[in-house]
């Protein structure tokens, strides 16, 4: 009990019992160091720290890692900046002629977009997610990574119509991706938060399974991600058979197999921390800004101002309660996971 190395020496391979004899003969050995006994093991908190290399390749798990879709969109940033500059000159020219399309806040009126991290705008969130998938496909790696048959639209078509021979050669347009995602979300009545979680699952799939999304597999990848996101996020999830009503030519067995293999490729890691969710939300906003995809601005009404004030008081009360309980103040978004909209505010 009092020995500092008893628990460590017993597990040392040098003192193991021989499987084919009773006990090995005792041979005096030099005194074991801390390295040999294992007494220098890292504390569990140190072992939980993720190294920078793994963090860079797992953006869907770690809030500090850069999202893949934002880096994939960088090659087109220069062209977008030129477009924004031309639009700016056009805006100046229109202003001279009395035609002002951009809204600006003033002392009497404040313009806000109806899009927050807790309640994203559904239409524009789907547009941003579709744009992120578009950049994934357009700027995918040339080697293509590993291939998974479950996502191949030639082997598992979503409709009875004949799949063209060059189905995996031409990149889809952003509008085509948007229409596909919008159809599923509209028919299944999914939320905007589900769209963000869908993007998280897609990037986690690309990282874990070492595959790439392309013209021949993007629909089934998105379908599998949406299927899981709806079950994880929504309290009343859409059943697999319900997607067969949306996509008339797909079978329940195909949906079940798609879900099973998607989960296996994700290593059953469907957890999305609130900090990761917030990172993807703000990166989608950055993506929309660089692509001139602005959110609709509306004047701040008295009712909206009262709602924002009520939410601010709610957050302040929860923060004060946490301080009274002895918790330290943290800037992590994970600490705000308990802050939710209440029916009294929304009514």
């Amino acid at each position: 009990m009092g020995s500092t190395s008893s628990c460590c020496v017993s597990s040392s391979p040098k003192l193991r019992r021989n499987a084919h004899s009773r006990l090995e003969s005792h041979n005096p050995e030099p005194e074991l160091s801390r390295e040999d006994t294992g007494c220098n093991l890292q504390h569990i908190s140190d072992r939980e720290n993720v190294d920078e290399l793994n963090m860079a390749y797992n953006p869907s798990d770690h809030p500090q890692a850069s999202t893949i879709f934002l880096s994939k969109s960088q090659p087109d940033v220069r062209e977008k900046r030129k477009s924004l500059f031309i639009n700016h000159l056009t805006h100046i020219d229109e202003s001279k002629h009395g035609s002002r399309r951009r809204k600006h806040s003033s002392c009497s009126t404040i313009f806000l977009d109806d899009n927050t991290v807790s309640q994203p705008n559904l239409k524009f969130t789907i547009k941003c997610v579709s744009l992120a998938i578009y950049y994934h496909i357009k700027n995918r790696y040339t080697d293509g990574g590993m291939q998974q048959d479950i996502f191949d639209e030639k082997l598992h078509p979503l409709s009875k119509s004949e799949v063209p021979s060059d189905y995996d050669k031409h990149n889809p347009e952003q509008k085509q991706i948007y229409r596909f995602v919008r159809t599923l979300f509209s028919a299944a009545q999914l939320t905007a938060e589900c769209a963000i979680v869908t993007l998280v699952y897609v990037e986690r799939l690309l990282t874990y399974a070492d595959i790439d999304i392309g013209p021949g597999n993007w629909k089934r990848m998105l379908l599998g991600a949406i299927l899981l996101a709806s079950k994880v996020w929504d309290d009343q999830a859409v059943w697999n058979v319900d997607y067969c009503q949306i996509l008339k030519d797909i079978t329940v067995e195909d949906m079940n197999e798609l879900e099973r293999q998607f989960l296996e490729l994700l290593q059953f890691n469907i957890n999305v921390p609130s900090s990761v969710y917030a990172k993807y939300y703000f990166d989608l906003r950055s993506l929309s800004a660089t692509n001139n995809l602005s959110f609709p601005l509306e004047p701040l009404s008295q009712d909206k101002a009262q709602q924002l004030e009520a939410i601010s008081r709610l957050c302040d009360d929860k923060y004060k309660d946490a301080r009274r309980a002895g918790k330290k103040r943290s800037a992590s978004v994970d600490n705000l996971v308990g802050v939710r909209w209440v029916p009294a505010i929304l009514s």
Side-chain angles (χ1 to χ4, degrees), residues 198-326:
T198 296
L199 182 59
V200 175
Y201 286 163
V202 168
E203 295 208 341
R204 186 172 295 175
L205 174 69
L206 302 182
T207 305
Y208 282 24
D210 191 24
I211 60 179
D212 217 344
I213 186 170
N217 60 8
W218 67 270
K219 286 185 179 180
R220 292 186 61 86
M221 277 191 183
L222 280 177
L223 179 60
I226 293 173
L227 172 65
L228 285 183
S230 64
K231 291 186 175 182
V232 172
W233 184 263
D234 293 337
D235 295 332
Q236 297 179 350
V238 182
W239 290 15
N240 292 4
V241 67
D242 296 328
Y243 287 96
C244 299
Q245 302 296 325
I246 303 173
L247 304 172
K248 301 294 184 180
D249 299 329
I250 196 171
T251 62
V252 180
E253 292 76 15
D254 188 17
M255 290 296 302
N256 295 340
E257 184 65 17
L258 177 63
E259 180 184 11
R260 185 185 66 82
Q261 293 198 29
F262 204 107
L263 280 171
E264 290 180 354
L265 293 173
L266 289 185
Q267 302 174 20
F268 297 91
N269 180 15
I270 57 176
N271 179 48
V272 179
S274 54
S275 53
V276 172
Y277 170 87
K279 176 188 67 175
Y280 273 79
Y281 166 79
F282 287 110
D283 281 359
L284 285 173
R285 290 193 69 112
S286 300
L287 182 68
S288 66
T290 56
N291 287 269
N292 199 23
L293 183 63
S294 59
F295 293 90
L297 297 178
E298 297 179 356
L300 180 62
S301 62
Q302 184 176 358
D303 294 338
K304 185 66 175 180
Q306 291 176 354
Q307 291 181 8
L308 294 176
E309 186 178 359
I311 296 173
S312 178
R313 286 197 301 266
L314 177 63
C315 296
D316 187 58
D317 292 341
K318 285 186 173 291
Y319 171 72
K320 290 179 180 178
D321 293 340
R323 289 295 296 267
R324 294 192 190 100

Side-chain angles (χ1 to χ4, degrees), residues 154-173:
K154 184 73 171 181
L155 301 177
H156 302 275
L158 297 179
S159 63
K160 293 182 180 180
S161 59
E162 184 179 357
V163 179
S165 57
D166 57 347
Y167 73 103
D168 57 345
K169 303 299 182 182
H170 304 290
N171 294 337
E173 296 292 335

